[in-house]
Amino acid sequence: MTASNIRVRFAPSPTGGLHLGGVRTALFNYLFAKKNKGTFVLRIEDTDQGRFVPGAEQYIVDCLAWCGISPDEGPHKEGNYGPYRQSERKSSYREYAEMLIEKGFAYYAFDTPEELEKMRETFRSETNPSPQYDGKIRMKMNNSLTLSKERVDELLELGTPHVVRIKMPGATEIILRDMIRGEIAFNTDLVDDKVLLKADGMPTYHLAVVVDDHAMDITHAFRGEEWLPSAPVHLLLWDYLGWKNSMPEWAHFPLILKPDGQGKLSKRDGDRLGFPVFAMDWKDPKSDELTRGFKEMGFLPEAFINMLAMLGWNDGTGEEIFGLDQLVERFSIERIHKGGAKFDFEKAKWFNQEWIKRSETTRLLPLVKEILNKNGIHANDEVLERLIPMVKERCQLINDFIPQLSYFFKDPVEIDIEAVQSKWDQKKHSFFMDWIATLDAMESWEMANIESAFKEASALAGIKPGELQLPLRIMLVGAKFGPTVFDIAHQIGKQATTRRIENSLKLLAQ
Ligand code: GLU
């Protein structure tokens, strides 16, 4: 239930996997909406048919659901402002484009792709390497500003392909008031006459975003910094369409940067440096290429959104671990930084480890069970309830539970014998032989009994128990990690303990 008029939107284009910057935009919108008892809207901006990718919309919905930040309204949760896909609102945009033309703020342009290419060639110079369709050039082109009214009507009548372009005013300063950045001035001479309506009758992003933010009563338009250059066009459209008084407040979130701070983090950086950039696994339907996601790499959604919130925001106390409810409580747009935030995968893993440590076994169990199942280990809940607390402190990723738990179920395949060999001798060998015999005779396989039998046997052999524990660990686990060795022996049972010791003794004797 919402109790305020505040309405924000997350407006992704369904063009592929959801970049973590996109999730952070959704998260900040969500936090602001919840903090102010407002409404969080998902609007699918699918007007660019050429870039439409099947499955991408459902994927976005699934990612938001995984993060626990599902929208209050959207294509999958109807509200009073639908449809929530721009392609389904197609018929609503033309009238606004025409209204703008009538008022003299926009014009029809009939230039063919060849003519546009020629324009770029003709006007290309050293000082202007990529000429734009702008105030300096528009009067040399084929549009309703240069053609007679009759000719324009005729072309329209004939169904000649055309677009509608905004007529950017010359030498005007446009001021954006941004909740994070303060006032930003734009010079209209530097902005081209953006297309508003395309030849296929679809609006471009510029027209659709303004028409829909207005139609959906959006009170705050928050988006990534990469949209800042488009802001003057949008401000003008709000004005030209006569809606200035209901224009939303704006905020542009800082970029998420590559680990070295040199530019915006891209999917390619993730591929190159071996970390995920998408929220969840994304399989490109055209190429079948699979890009790994945070979820499948073993991140908890709690940790993922906590980490994302801290990329460009903090609450000023130095605290770093926040659950979603706490984030809602503490969040404020004004505390978001202006500068880009460097992505640090090690820090992301640290957040995950902190969340794994803090999570109840009941939270972790289904995830651990699933990942073990996928790796051929079928453990029952009761056993996992005992094992998870024993190893969770050592897991940065949910996937780390595989090496941390598999030796409880299967004899280790690789045994780091070299770690034992240099200090190995006949005395130690005899100790283990004797201890196996003691174990065999033991009636109760309790941890305390196993441990005291070990200590007694080591005293008898005249070897410090500390010197025997590493070999025992290597024999049982295969490597130098895991909880207390006696705990492990207790969990895996007498038979497995004896078998693993015997196998290692054989390897050491070789
Ligand atoms: N459709 C734009 C995107 O893909 C949304 C920009 C905005 O929120 O205004 O990110």
Side-chain angles (χ1 to χ4, degrees):
M1 270 292 116
T2 55
S4 82
N5 293 331
I6 288 191
R7 294 175 58 79
V8 299
R9 84 298 192 278
F10 173 51
S13 298
T15 53
L18 189 56
H19 186 280
L20 58 94
V23 187
R24 194 197 54 179
T25 297
L27 174 65
F28 284 173
N29 271 287
Y30 173 92
L31 296 177
F32 183 81
K34 297 298 143 185
K35 168 130 198 164
N36 294 291
K37 315 239 172 314
T39 306
F40 172 50
V41 178
L42 172 66
R43 184 173 68 225
I44 298 293
E45 303 213 322
D46 56 352
T47 58
D48 191 346
Q49 306 272 281
R51 293 179 65 216
F52 177 80
V53 176
E57 177 189 312
Q58 186 58 46
Y59 168 86
I60 291 167
V61 170
D62 293 344
C63 288
L64 297 183
W66 176 63
C67 293
I69 53 171
S70 286
D72 301 309
E73 290 173 25
H76 302 253
K77 186 127 193 287
E78 283 302 320
N80 296 329
Y81 293 86
Y84 293 91
R85 279 183 205 100
Q86 288 184 327
S87 57
E88 292 170 14
R89 303 171 73 87
K90 181 177 173 186
S91 58
S92 68
Y93 304 107
R94 181 166 273 274
E95 66 170 297
Y96 295 108
E98 276 163 9
M99 189 198 286
L100 291 167
I101 296 174
E102 245 160 65
K103 292 188 185 175
F105 295 129
Y107 58 92
Y108 294 111
F110 299 95
D111 317 271
T112 61
E114 294 73 32
E115 284 166 339
L116 291 172
E117 187 45 43
K118 190 156 167 252
M119 175 275 279
R120 283 189 279 268
E121 261 168 45
T122 316
F123 296 100
R124 191 172 293 136
S125 67
E126 236 166 64
T127 51
N128 188 9
S130 43
Q132 309 198 78
Y133 204 119
D134 60 13
K136 286 190 276 323
I137 280 169
R138 69 166 84 97
M139 294 314 284
K140 302 186 171 88
M141 303 301 290
N142 205 4
N143 55 48
S144 57
L145 302 174
T146 57
L147 300 168
S148 69
K149 175 148 187 347
E150 292 69 38
R151 180 67 183 140
V152 171
D153 288 344
E154 194 187 351
L155 287 171
L156 291 176
E157 196 98 321
L158 287 168
T160 315
H162 63 274
V163 300
V164 174
R165 287 181 181 271
I166 187 170
K167 188 176 164 201
M168 286 302 283
T172 308
E173 191 175 59
I174 309 245
I175 307 280
L176 167 75
R177 284 181 188 81
D178 185 289
M179 290 172 76
I180 300 169
R181 290 153 206 276
E183 289 197 354
I184 305 175
F186 295 88
N187 173 357
T188 53
D189 280 338
L190 302 175
V191 186
D192 60 325
D193 288 356
K194 297 264 184 257
V195 172
L196 300 178
L197 204 69
K198 292 180 282 186
D200 63 3
M202 277 287 193
T204 57
Y205 158 67
H206 302 294
L207 180 63
V209 76
V210 172
V211 168
D212 287 341
D213 280 352
H214 178 257
M216 294 184 175
D217 284 342
I218 297 302
T219 57
H220 295 76
F222 300 150
R223 57 192 182 184
E225 186 181 330
E226 60 274 34
W227 300 103
L228 207 46
S230 308
V233 178
H234 303 162
L235 294 179
L236 279 175
L237 287 175
W238 277 94
D239 190 9
Y240 290 169
L241 289 164
W243 300 331
K244 208 173 174 177
N245 293 336
S246 51
M247 187 168 78
E249 295 205 46
W250 298 95
H252 291 83
F253 302 141
L255 294 178
I256 297 180
L257 304 175
K258 297 178 199 295
D260 63 5
Q262 303 296 310
K264 189 177 161 185
L265 181 75
S266 72
K267 180 180 111 48
R268 255 169 298 138
D269 297 316
D271 297 342
R272 185 169 55 91
L273 301 166
F275 56 72
V277 167
F278 290 162
M280 288 168 38
D281 271 7
W282 166 251
K283 188 162 182 198
D284 187 299
K286 275 197 214 112
S287 65
D288 261 3
E289 186 200 352
L290 179 77
T291 308
R292 302 288 287 159
F294 279 87
K295 178 181 182 223
E296 292 77 5
M297 287 271 286
F299 275 79
L300 291 172
E302 298 90 318
F304 180 55
I305 57 160
N306 187 171
M307 176 277 290
L308 281 182
M310 305 308 286
L311 279 174
W313 174 86
N314 64 60
D315 77 339
T317 64
E319 278 176 62
E320 290 188 283
I321 302 294
F322 300 111
L324 192 56
D325 291 345
Q326 283 169 302
L327 287 172
V328 168
E329 206 175 287
R330 307 211 186 179
F331 186 69
S332 75
I333 291 285
E334 289 76 10
R335 286 205 59 85
I336 295 176
H337 316 156
K338 293 192 191 84
K342 277 190 219 167
F343 177 68
D344 177 349
F345 188 50
E346 290 311 311
K347 185 78 191 197
K349 286 195 285 190
W350 176 83
F351 274 108
N352 207 48
Q353 182 162 27
E354 289 301 309
W355 275 98
I356 289 177
K357 270 193 227 163
R358 286 167 164 78
S359 295
E360 300 285 342
T361 304
T362 45
R363 165 77 182 106
L364 300 171
L365 194 138
L367 301 171
V368 173
K369 193 169 174 169
E370 188 188 332
I371 196 104
L372 289 178
N373 263 330
K374 275 193 194 146
N375 284 274
I377 298 170
H378 308 290
N380 71 37
D381 290 5
E382 211 185 301
V383 171
L384 288 178
E385 268 161 28
R386 265 185 285 132
L387 298 184
I388 290 172
M390 284 166 60
V391 302
K392 70 174 182 180
E393 300 263 332
R394 295 179 182 83
C395 296
Q396 278 198 310
L397 300 169
I398 293 294
N399 304 27
D400 292 341
F401 278 97
I402 305 167
Q404 290 294 342
L405 288 181
S406 54
Y407 59 84
F408 284 105
F409 302 94
K410 294 193 279 196
D411 290 0
V413 182
E414 277 174 38
I415 299 169
D416 185 6
I417 280 299
E418 274 172 31
V420 182
Q421 221 138 26
S422 63
K423 293 200 177 141
W424 192 247
D425 55 24
Q426 189 52 42
K427 236 172 117 186
K428 286 183 183 159
H429 183 93
S430 312
F431 162 82
F432 277 100
M433 292 299 285
D434 293 346
W435 192 50
I436 297 174
T438 325
L439 295 184
D440 192 37
M442 248 167 70
E443 264 162 35
S444 152
W445 191 251
E446 287 310 319
M447 198 177 122
N449 300 355
I450 305 166
E451 186 170 359
S452 56
F454 186 84
K455 294 205 167 129
E456 276 164 30
S458 67
L460 220 64
I463 313 172
K464 289 198 203 95
E467 278 182 49
L468 297 163
Q469 281 194 24
L470 175 72
L472 178 57
R473 175 175 300 283
I474 302 279
M475 291 169 184
L476 301 186
V477 176
K480 283 184 209 164
F481 64 85
T484 337
V485 272
F486 306 113
D487 237 349
I488 299 171
H490 174 234
Q491 293 297 335
I492 64 177
K494 189 193 282 188
Q495 266 192 348
T497 303
T498 312
R499 183 176 63 240
R500 291 183 195 185
I501 294 172
E502 282 169 348
N503 287 346
S504 294
L505 289 180
K506 274 185 219 143
L507 289 175
L508 283 160
Q510 278 167 14

